Amino acid sequence: MTDILCTTVQRRLANRTISIQIKGCLFASVDILQGYYEGTTIKDACKAGCPNYKKKWSCPPYSKPFPKISSPYLSACLLCFSTKMRFYSDIKNTYLAVKAANVTLKSLIERCARHIEDYTAGYALLSGSCRLCKPCRCKSGLPCQHPDKMRYSMEATYLNVQQMCLDFLDHRLLWYENKRLPEYTSVVSLILHNRHIEYNNLTNLIDEVFIE
Ligand code: SF4
């Protein structure tokens, strides 16, 4: 079993204060992650069910497969941020409540992932499709506006993120389904790198983002 960083932080937002559970783990070798690559299965699922398929440069079929993206890197760091939906109970529309929670979590995990990416000179896989331009220039048949800043999501590289979270973080991802609010919502990121980091480095890097 991989060691797990697990901590809870309070985050004061403009209209509420939420608790965020942060889980993370470090991989000395990315080899173990290759077993979570499910290229054909996940690409087929994206094609069948995702409105972003062929609409964003960060998404399938234009995204790159995990074995290709990870090949220059030796190590990795997996992060998962989650918050209970009870903090959003004042938002009566359940879809909007989950969306609001996810916007906050995605923004925070992206800042942490890019901070760790900078520290390690690594490469981050973020949570969700690229949102740097609205709409993505892919829709107009134009090249990516920020190829240096654009990052793929873990799913877009065809990783089984649910299974990774279960196996390495003892955390189950819950989904908004049938208009029913999940108990909590989560976002996940993976940072690939070649720099040796310890758990205390990881904690410090996350803290630096949260105290900004
Ligand atoms: S940077 Fe802009 S054009 Fe490139 S993938 Fe992201 S949203 Fe699309």
Side-chain angles (χ1 to χ4, degrees), residues 50-62 129-130 135-141:
C50 182
N52 288 334
Y53 187 82
K54 275 192 175 176
K55 300 282 192 327
K56 290 193 165 198
W57 291 123
S58 62
C59 290
Y62 308 120
S129 59
C130 180
C136 178
R137 285 164 50 111
C138 182
K139 284 186 179 169
S140 311

Side-chain angles (χ1 to χ4, degrees), residues 56-58 130-138 143-147 150:
K56 290 193 165 198
W57 291 123
S58 62
C130 180
R131 301 175 293 280
L132 290 175
C133 323
K134 288 183 178 144
C136 178
R137 285 164 50 111
C138 182
C144 178
Q145 176 103 355
H146 305 288
M150 183 272 274

Side-chain angles (χ1 to χ4, degrees), residues 108-155:
L108 283 168
I109 204 167
E110 176 164 343
R111 284 167 56 198
C112 284
R114 288 191 187 266
H115 189 45
I116 296 167
E117 183 188 70
D118 286 345
Y119 178 79
T120 59
Y123 186 88
L125 300 176
L126 302 177
S127 181
S129 59
C130 180
R131 301 175 293 280
L132 290 175
C133 323
K134 288 183 178 144
C136 178
R137 285 164 50 111
C138 182
K139 284 186 179 169
S140 311
L142 297 170
C144 178
Q145 176 103 355
H146 305 288
D148 52 332
K149 292 194 187 117
M150 183 272 274
R151 295 292 180 271
Y152 304 110
S153 68
M154 291 173 65
E155 291 88 347

